[in-house]
Amino acid sequence: MSGWLAGIGGAVMTGARHVGRAGILAAATFGAVLRPREYRREAFVQAKKIGIDSLPLVLLVAALSGSILAQQSGYQFTEIPLWVVGNTVAAGMLTELAPLLSAIIMAGRVGSGIGAELGTMKVTNQIDALRTLGRDPVTELVAPRVVAGAVMMLPIVIFANIVGIWSGWLSAIALLPMTTHEYVYGVQNYYHAASLIFSLVKGFFFGITITFTACYVGLQAEGGAAGVGRTATNAVVSIIVLIMMLDVFLAPLYKAFQ
Amino acid sequence: MIEIRDLRKVLNGKAVLDGVDLDIHEGMSLVIMGPSGTGKSVLLKHIVGLFDPDRGEILVEGMSVPRAGGKEIKEIRSKISYVFQNAALFDSLTAGQNIQLGLPEEHCRRVPALDDPLVREAIEHVNLGHEVLRLMPAELSGGMQKRVAIARAIVGKQKYILYDEPTTGLDPVNANVINRLIARLQGEIGATSIIVTHDVESAFYLGDRIVLLANGRVQASGSPDELRESRDPIVQDFLHPKLETEEFDG
Ligand SMILES: Nc1ncnc2c1ncn2[C@@H]1O[C@H](COP(=O)(O)OP(=O)(O)OP(=O)(O)O)[C@@H](O)[C@H]1O
Ligand SMILES: [Mg+2]
């Protein structure tokens, strides 16, 4: 009877502890980010890793989702003009799929990578060694990754949008009784600069969430190789949940962009 | 001077350190011995503020380590270097870059690690060739990693050097090289050393004072001669080779 109550209490306490610790790390990270001179070089290294690591997979998924959007809307819109397909693909890619799916791919590739890397450094005393050498792990490790993640998400989201809308066009003219002209008309009918900005704002916050969460989880790692394995898994799961939650809160923001 | 007063630390419900008192005077070398798992490494980590004690005080030149803020702890750490038991080299950096991390940040930004005369000198001290500087830690043997870690600790010529089992895993020749290096640093730059070791011979060679840590406390302490003549059964037990089996669970 009191067992499950204690269980819930324990879970709430653990959650609160994580929120507190993550808050402290976030404050330290924010302070460190303001001193780019100290981590600039590492940020470039990370940007290259983060961008190049994920781009091929992100683009593949963007192409597939653009095609799915085009086909599904084309098959289902029987009562309305087909140019709406262009409109639907653009809206779907820009508002949701480009930033969200890119973020989920990045969670799998970048999030697990950072989690395992920092986790290994933690359990093998490298983080402690950094401290004793007078270096600050937040400046040396967290700040460059978070900045690189936030910045690299912008080109990634732009490319994902372009590729998704392009593959939607390819599917539309190949599989649906419509022309390039109609598709382009539909895309233009939806597109406005603000929708792209909304897409980028989401990407930016997702980029921060992915890298920061991975760093936080990595720095909490304990217990040797098994601990590092758990850390990488935890990083990916936490990132995906947080991104979906963030997405829900960012959705109303769209109205502000119109 | 480093002063440790009534230090207590509970880890996983067990009082690993339970009232440790130690004074380490300038220029002296203190050897800490004791069975595996008694908290020797935990004790060293407290001195550089990697652990917060549950009770007690640690003073480095009068500055409290547990109560130090961000700036003070940085100042304290700038006086101390630390050789981790597991070397703890950075996997993503070459041996040379690892060693250079023992030098101030501005210096590292200015001089490439491979050309750094201080780095080259440090690697010679630990009996490794310059070609090792460009290798990654994963390409080094365990003993080589340990020696690179020692080079990283001595390159900055800090006043206090903490060695956590510096010769464990080394062949007798290189263990000798390291022991002589520790002794020489003490003589030449007046370094104050704290050395954790399981090797009785090294302990007697290096220690101005030897302490025996067991059950969370200092069980015995004295100069090598005093310990050798001690009739204390704990000391005698420990100095006799039959206890060498403890090395297996280390
Ligand atoms: N980070 C930690 N979290 C929890 N317990 C720890 C931690 N580090 C060490 N301990 C525990 O503290 C005790 C002392 O560990 P410590 O590493 O200081 O032993 P040691 O005397 O250095 O042994 P050895 O000679 O084998 O290196 C052990 O029981 C260990 O389980
Ligand atoms: Mg130890």
Side-chain angles (χ1 to χ4, degrees), chain A residues 40 54 84 95 108 149 171 195:
Chain A
R40 197 175 39 197
S54 349
V84 176
T95 56
S171 310
S195 59

Side-chain angles (χ1 to χ4, degrees), chain A residues 100-109 111-112 206 209-210 213-214 232-248:
Chain A
L100 186 64
L101 290 182
S102 305
I104 288 176
I105 303 275
M106 302 261 293
R109 295 213 58 137
S112 63
F206 289 168
T209 309
I210 293 163
T213 310
T233 312
N234 284 348
V236 176
V237 173
S238 322
I239 290 168
I240 291 178
V241 171
L242 286 172
I243 281 176
M244 298 298 287
M245 279 160 69
L246 188 61
D247 203 27
V248 168

Side-chain angles (χ1 to χ4, degrees), chain B residues 11-12 14 16 35-42 51 85 165 198 250:
Chain B
L11 285 168
N12 293 333
K14 180 178 154 234
V16 174
S36 186
T38 28
K40 303 180 297 294
S41 300
V42 168
F51 272 119
Q85 187 169 352
E165 303 193 18
H198 288 298

Side-chain angles (χ1 to χ4, degrees), chain B:
Chain B
M1 172 164 182
I2 298 177
E3 298 156 79
I4 297 169
R5 295 271 166 274
D6 192 26
L7 187 63
R8 181 181 157 87
K9 179 71 178 176
V10 177
L11 285 168
N12 293 333
K14 180 178 154 234
V16 174
L17 301 175
D18 194 8
V20 172
D21 288 286
L22 277 176
D23 282 334
I24 303 106
H25 294 278
E26 220 105 302
M28 90 181 244
S29 70
L30 175 80
V31 167
I32 302 176
M33 303 188 80
S36 186
T38 28
K40 303 180 297 294
S41 300
V42 168
L43 177 63
L44 288 191
K45 286 182 182 174
H46 274 88
I47 298 175
V48 283
L50 294 174
F51 272 119
D52 262 332
D54 295 325
R55 193 183 71 204
E57 180 65 291
I58 302 138
L59 299 171
V60 174
E61 299 188 348
M63 282 184 286
S64 163
V65 178
R67 282 180 282 126
K71 234 178 114 185
E72 290 125 0
I73 196 76
K74 223 175 159 172
E75 192 191 334
I76 291 170
R77 285 174 181 162
S78 72
K79 298 176 198 288
I80 305 177
S81 60
Y82 193 135
V83 179
F84 282 84
Q85 187 169 352
N86 70 335
L89 299 178
F90 301 103
D91 324 301
S92 56
L93 302 179
T94 62
Q97 289 167 328
N98 263 289
I99 296 173
Q100 205 187 31
L101 276 176
L103 294 164
E105 268 177 281
E106 315 82 69
H107 176 92
C108 298
R109 250 177 286 207
R110 252 191 353 257
V111 192
L114 279 179
D115 305 331
D116 192 331
L118 295 171
V119 171
R120 289 170 158 262
E121 189 191 313
I123 197 128
E124 287 164 16
H125 279 321
V126 295
N127 199 25
L128 287 169
H130 291 166
E131 71 285 352
V132 172
L133 290 175
R134 56 179 80 246
L135 300 180
M136 304 304 282
E139 298 171 301
L140 305 176
S141 75
M144 288 163 89
Q145 290 184 14
K146 197 69 180 255
R147 284 184 282 160
V148 171
I150 293 170
R152 179 172 76 183
I154 62 166
V155 69
K157 302 207 162 51
Q158 267 88 355
K159 204 160 156 189
Y160 302 94
I161 311 182
L162 316 185
Y163 302 89
D164 199 344
E165 303 193 18
T167 54
T168 304
L170 298 188
D171 60 277
V173 174
N174 279 305
N176 257 329
V177 168
I178 298 303
N179 281 335
R180 280 203 305 271
L181 173 68
I182 295 172
R184 197 169 74 219
L185 283 169
Q186 200 192 340
E188 279 174 15
I189 62 171
T192 308
S193 334
I194 304 180
I195 306 129
V196 170
T197 183
H198 288 298
D199 178 22
V200 179
E201 218 174 297
S202 305
F204 280 101
Y205 172 70
L206 290 172
D208 296 325
R209 223 177 108 213
I210 301 174
V211 303
L212 246 172
L213 199 70
N215 306 322
R217 287 165 180 275
V218 174
Q219 301 290 351
S221 118
S223 68
D225 287 339
E226 283 168 356
L227 282 201
R228 220 176 270 137
E229 277 149 32
S230 161
R231 300 199 166 272
D232 187 338
I234 297 177
V235 177
Q236 285 313 318
D237 257 7
F238 203 78
L239 299 185
H240 278 291
K242 63 176 179 185
L243 266 189
E244 264 176 18
T245 45
E246 78 172 26
E247 298 266 355
F248 288 113
D249 38 68

Side-chain angles (χ1 to χ4, degrees), chain A residues 66-105:
Chain A
S67 171
I68 295 165
L69 269 181
Q71 293 181 55
Q72 287 298 351
S73 50
Y75 300 146
Q76 287 174 33
F77 299 158
T78 47
E79 307 288 308
I80 41 178
L82 267 181
W83 61 260
V84 176
V85 169
N87 190 311
T88 311
V89 173
M93 288 311 298
L94 282 158
T95 56
E96 277 307 332
L97 296 182
L100 186 64
L101 290 182
S102 305
I104 288 176
I105 303 275

